[in-house]
Amino acid sequence: MITIAMAEDHQMLIDGVKSFFEYDDEISIIGAVNNGEDLVKLVSLKQPKLVITDIRMPRMDGIEATKIIKSKFPHIRVLAMTMFDQPEAIKQMLDAGATGYLLKNSGIKMLLKAIVAVSNGETFFDPNVAFNFMNNYIDKNVIIGKTEKVILSNREKEILQLIATGKTSKEIADVLFIAKTTVDTHRKNMIRKLNLSNGNELIKYAIDKKYQF
């Protein structure tokens, strides 16, 4: 049995996950809270096999909560489930001790795969963030979720929209208040995801397909 403690400040999402696993014989949500501070208390009380936590939450964020949980209970696995796809957020969660990173828009079936993988001691990455970190985890047992269709992150959609207007990476970086290198990384990831050959094809894709944002 995989016992799970969950922290998420949107109660509707908690209710949806609990409902999905309500009749599952192998997975049990034994507690759910809305902030990191209460998550630490819940984990100390019930000591689940796995923790699922958002990053941005009131009173204590998921990064700090993960650090505390892993320092007290190093055997407990942590899976981050969030909307943040920025490399900085992913790195902070992994450095805190999480061994799984999942985007909320990936769906419940992807969540199930992540739960099983992380609880078995494997490292699981959402397919839309995995390739930013593969070099750091090349020697580990890494599982990358698979998706049937191309799913661009919210940030990638923003950048693609700006590419369609003819802006350079530097101009996009200025508009979004991020580093140019971050924009370049997103460009490379989109080229890979969309199975394109180069940046010119990415520009053509953005314009010709009239991407719906």
Side-chain angles (χ1 to χ4, degrees), residues 83-122:
M83 289 301 296
F84 291 103
D85 62 351
Q86 292 90 344
E88 294 83 1
I90 302 168
K91 184 178 186 303
Q92 287 180 47
M93 277 303 297
L94 297 178
D95 288 345
T99 51
Y101 201 97
L102 187 69
L103 298 182
K104 290 180 181 178
N105 60 5
S106 295
I108 198 73
K109 291 184 179 179
M110 186 76 74
L111 173 60
L112 175 58
K113 293 178 182 178
I115 287 172
V116 173
V118 173
S119 66
N120 285 335
E122 297 160 331

Side-chain angles (χ1 to χ4, degrees), residues 7 17-18 28 39-40 54 81 86 88 91-92 103 106 111 137 141 167 172 175 178 188 199 201 213:
V17 172
K18 290 173 70 175
S28 176
L39 175 63
V40 173
D54 195 357
M81 186 171 68
Q86 292 90 344
E88 294 83 1
K91 184 178 186 303
Q92 287 180 47
L103 298 182
S106 295
L111 173 60
Y137 289 84
N141 188 9
K167 291 188 181 299
I172 293 172
V175 169
I178 58 178
K188 292 177 183 177
E201 286 192 10
F213 300 96

Side-chain angles (χ1 to χ4, degrees), residues 92-160:
Q92 287 180 47
M93 277 303 297
L94 297 178
D95 288 345
T99 51
Y101 201 97
L102 187 69
L103 298 182
K104 290 180 181 178
N105 60 5
S106 295
I108 198 73
K109 291 184 179 179
M110 186 76 74
L111 173 60
L112 175 58
K113 293 178 182 178
I115 287 172
V116 173
V118 173
S119 66
N120 285 335
E122 297 160 331
T123 300
F124 185 96
F125 283 112
D126 187 291
N128 292 298
V129 301
F131 291 93
N132 289 336
F133 292 90
M134 282 303 295
N135 289 336
N136 294 332
Y137 289 84
I138 196 69
D139 295 326
K140 294 187 178 182
N141 188 9
V142 177
I143 293 178
I144 301 173
K146 295 180 180 179
T147 181
E148 296 295 326
K149 61 180 180 179
V150 174
I151 300 177
L152 298 181
S153 68
N154 291 334
R155 178 63 84 188
E156 286 169 343
K157 290 177 183 178
E158 289 179 322
I159 291 173
L160 193 59

